[in-house]
Amino acid sequence: MHPANNPTGNTENKKSIADLAKPRPIWYTALKKGTAMIDHDNLEEFRDPQTFDLQDEGYFDDYPLTEQWARALGGPLLDLACGTGRMALRVAELGYQVTGVDITPEMIARARQKAAQQAVSIEWVVADARTFHLQKQFSFIYMLENVFQFFLTRVDQEAMLARVQEHLLPQGCFLFETRNPSPRNLFELRRPEGEKFTTPDGGQLVITEQQHYDPMTQIQHYARHLTFLHPRGQQEEKTLHTALRYVFPQEMEALLFYNGFQIRSCYGNWQQGPLTASSPSMIYVCQRRA
């Protein structure tokens, strides 16, 4: 803005119409958290795949049920939001034809590297789960590790579900999980004592977090503080911000129904326990509604 049109002479935070008209980055979501707006990169924790793998290493609670449905339905399989290929690599080793899709190039690059090291053939695709078109269909599509919560609005959720519909064979199934909006999940810290990991260089990674739940948007806001303690005494710190959407069980049933799905199975944990008010998770297996 020209100073002559700005009596205060303050040009900070002034945006032109052209600036406002520019398309937002794909991670941008304008939602209110009190008086603040969410304008951080909601995928920033996935820009460092090595640190992500350090935290994710050894987690396979979801493997038995995922493999059970893969065995029942057969291939080909689509790992939606596949990350660095944790599950895709494991099921591909069983002989299934697998495609892995993820929005983050860094994660796909790491997945390709791991597949090459393990001599496993997987098709890797960098794409947004809300807009991808692969020109093929799958017997089984799965989306794990609560990725559903990264779709912050109903529009985002429905766009992703439409792409699943497009890529699902008529008798195919879609398995996904999201955290149950129980009082414990909403209002208690996931890891109040923090977490510690040993880094590849022999140092330590210490992670603590804070959280705030906004009941109007049903979004949980996390600030995760990472402290890297390197062997020679150097210390590096960074803070990552994440916003995760919660969906309540009756809301989820309506969302799936009105987007053309019927629920085949619903679980409250990966041991196939029933969904209850205190369950940690909401795990759904659904298919196209006839």
Side-chain angles (χ1 to χ4, degrees):
M1 177 180 290
H2 193 280
N5 297 321
N6 181 13
T8 65
N10 181 9
T11 60
E12 293 183 359
N13 299 323
K14 300 296 183 180
K15 293 184 178 180
S16 68
I17 293 175
D19 289 332
L20 293 173
K22 291 178 181 177
R24 295 292 188 183
I26 200 159
W27 44 261
Y28 182 91
T29 305
L31 292 169
K32 288 187 176 180
K33 175 193 169 188
T35 57
M37 300 296 285
I38 298 172
D39 59 0
H40 61 268
D41 180 353
N42 208 34
L43 302 174
E44 61 185 348
E45 67 176 293
F46 307 117
R47 307 297 180 191
D48 181 354
Q50 286 76 18
T51 299
F52 176 85
D53 275 352
L54 188 65
Q55 301 168 66
D56 208 40
E57 193 173 40
Y59 175 75
F60 278 108
D61 289 0
D62 50 4
Y63 174 72
L65 186 59
T66 304
E67 194 274 332
Q68 175 184 314
W69 279 97
R71 188 171 62 250
L73 295 164
L77 314 182
L78 173 59
D79 188 331
L80 194 55
C82 63
T84 64
R86 178 184 65 88
M87 186 62 73
L89 290 164
R90 188 151 184 176
V91 293
E93 287 179 335
L94 297 176
Y96 293 103
Q97 180 185 343
V98 183
T99 299
V101 170
D102 200 278
I103 192 173
T104 314
E106 294 89 342
M107 300 292 269
I108 289 292
R110 174 73 167 164
R112 285 197 177 104
Q113 181 185 51
K114 290 161 69 173
Q117 291 170 348
Q118 297 178 33
V120 174
S121 177
I122 296 175
E123 179 186 12
W124 303 108
V125 180
V126 177
D128 188 329
R130 299 167 296 182
T131 58
F132 73 102
H133 301 280
L134 300 181
Q135 314 303 323
K136 64 175 75 173
Q137 292 184 310
F138 300 85
S139 297
F140 184 40
I141 301 175
Y142 58 87
M143 187 170 68
L144 306 174
E145 297 201 69
N146 303 300
V147 168
F148 191 92
Q149 292 189 270
F150 281 86
F151 302 97
L152 300 183
T153 68
R154 180 177 55 80
V155 172
D156 291 333
Q157 294 163 352
E158 291 187 337
M160 179 273 295
L161 290 173
R163 300 287 69 74
V164 171
Q165 281 269 6
E166 175 187 329
H167 291 85
L168 200 59
L169 285 166
Q171 301 304 315
C173 287
F174 173 43
L175 180 152
F176 69 95
E177 70 166 321
T178 184
R179 293 179 184 87
N180 184 26
S182 65
R184 179 176 182 179
N185 279 342
L186 294 181
F187 304 114
E188 296 181 22
L189 282 174
R190 294 179 293 185
R191 303 171 188 90
E193 71 286 353
E195 294 181 285
K196 290 185 179 179
F197 302 92
T198 300
T199 57
D201 65 359
Q204 292 286 316
L205 168 61
V206 180
I207 302 177
T208 58
E209 67 181 17
Q210 298 171 312
Q211 67 184 49
H212 164 75
Y213 177 64
D214 182 344
M216 293 305 295
T217 59
Q218 298 175 203
I219 290 178
Q220 186 84 275
H221 302 269
Y222 290 98
R224 303 177 71 237
H225 307 284
L226 282 66
T227 303
F228 294 87
L229 304 172
H230 298 291
R232 296 186 178 181
Q234 305 98 319
Q235 182 170 313
E236 176 188 355
E237 297 186 10
K238 61 181 176 180
T239 299
L240 304 176
H241 298 276
T242 307
L244 300 177
R245 168 74 182 272
Y246 275 89
V247 176
F248 288 78
Q250 294 300 311
E251 179 186 7
M252 182 67 79
E253 287 193 19
L255 181 67
L256 292 172
F257 180 86
Y258 288 109
N259 283 276
F261 289 94
Q262 62 183 18
I263 298 170
R264 282 191 56 173
S265 299
C266 176
Y267 312 106
N269 55 45
W270 286 109
Q271 291 70 47
Q272 302 182 49
L275 174 59
T276 68
S278 60
S279 296
S281 300
M282 294 160 50
I283 301 167
Y284 293 91
V285 181
C286 51
Q287 61 186 138
R288 289 182 180 179
R289 183 159 52 86

